[in-house]
Amino acid sequence: MLDRILHHLPWLGPLLAAGVGAGVGRYGLGGGFWTVLIAALIGGFLPVIALAVWRRFRAD
């Protein structure tokens, strides 16, 4: 059941990238272009990596 819910996790990447980029740009780390870009890239790939780790190490 949980795997069916987590199936949609990678689709959150662009939304999460936009949110992390906007948050860093607005509130944290000084918000320069490269800082925001790197934070958005990291935030965008986190759901994809989390799903891969979940599928690799889940206990069936």
Side-chain angles (χ1 to χ4, degrees):
M1 171 72 174
L2 188 58
D3 194 39
R4 294 178 87 192
I5 296 169
L6 293 177
H7 168 73
H8 300 288
L9 195 58
W11 294 101
L12 294 176
L15 181 62
L16 190 61
V20 168
V24 166
R26 176 76 172 151
Y27 300 111
L29 300 178
F33 173 77
W34 292 107
T35 305
V36 171
L37 179 64
I38 291 169
L41 287 173
I42 291 171
F45 281 109
L46 279 178
V48 176
I49 294 169
L51 181 62
V53 168
W54 170 261
R55 286 188 175 163
R56 172 101 169 125
F57 293 111
R58 71 179 175 200
D60 280 336

